[in-house]
């Protein structure tokens, strides 16, 4: 089936933010008298979170609301960086005339725009940035419906087990990205059984051409 829409996760897929997220959460957890996880433990948990309101509780933090507010305040002070290979891939996608959008959950639209702008990626996603406190499944359905695209003509590109599971639940084609920027270990991404697994975001071009 021909690819008519690419849906990109943001953090860990297009933006190099794993280190920023970990250091920010580690600082918050320790300051609120919790026990911070190792980076490996953090990655194993982060890619499977279903209830963000309870995320900090598992580290001994009793006030999740305060922790979450602190996270968004502190993470917004970090300078976002694009994954270098993303520029090349997105430039090719634009030349191929394939509609594409960026999707981030649990952030307000302003912060996602600001992140993409700071990473010099926003020009690739003008009027195509989606953010919502809902799950990705709901937003993927809304985006496909809004654009009149069948699920099997859309590809979700993500770096976590949760991304892949939610994409498969909807019925879109799923591409897992596993490399040093990813929020989930490769073994966790594989558990979700993505349609494709790549280690370099630029390899998405081969999948698009194969499906066309």
């Amino acid at each position: 089936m021909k690819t008519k829409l690419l849906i990109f996760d943001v953090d860990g897929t297009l933006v190099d933010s794993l280190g920023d997220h970990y250091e920010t959460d580690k600082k918050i957890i320790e300051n609120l008298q919790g026990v911070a996880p190792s980076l490996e433990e953090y990655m194993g948990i982060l890619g499977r979170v279903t209830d963000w309101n309870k995320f900090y509780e598992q580290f001994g933090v009793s006030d999740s609301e305060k922790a979450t507010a602190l996270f968004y305040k502190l993470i917004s002070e970090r300078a976002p960086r694009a994954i270098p290979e993303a520029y090349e891939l997105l430039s090719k996608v634009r030349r191929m005339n394939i509609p594409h959008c960026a999707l981030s959950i649990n952030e307000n639209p302003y912060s996602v725009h600001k992140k993409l702008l700071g990473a010099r990626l926003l020009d690739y996603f003008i009027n195509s940035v989606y953010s919502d406190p809902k799950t990705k499944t709901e937003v993927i359905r809304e985006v496909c419906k809004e654009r009149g695209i069948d699920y099997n003509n859309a590809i979700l590109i993500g770096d976590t087990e949760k991304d892949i599971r939610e994409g498969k639940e909807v019925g879109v084609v799923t591409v897992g990205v596993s490399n040093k920027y990813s929020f989930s270990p490769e073994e966790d991404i594989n558990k979700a059984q993505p349609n494709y697994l790549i280690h370099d975001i630029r390899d998405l071009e081969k999948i698009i051409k194969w499906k066309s």
Side-chain angles (χ1 to χ4, degrees), residues 9 49-53 72 103-109 130-143 145-146 162-163 166 169-170:
D9 170 63
V49 175
T50 56
D51 187 347
W52 288 97
N53 291 323
Y72 286 119
L103 170 58
S104 184
I105 299 299
N106 296 307
E107 291 188 85
N108 64 58
Y130 296 85
S131 178
D132 202 286
K134 296 179 266 188
T135 65
K136 275 192 173 75
T137 55
E138 295 177 73
V139 185
I140 293 168
R141 289 189 182 105
E142 289 174 7
V143 173
K145 181 178 179 180
E146 174 186 305
K162 187 168 180 287
D163 289 337
E166 292 183 336
E169 182 180 336
V170 175

Side-chain angles (χ1 to χ4, degrees), residues 17 70 91 95 98 111 116 120 131 133 137 156 205 208:
S17 52
L70 274 172
S91 294
R95 289 197 295 271
I98 299 175
S111 68
L116 290 171
R120 296 187 293 119
S131 178
T137 55
L156 172 71
E205 180 187 8
I208 295 169

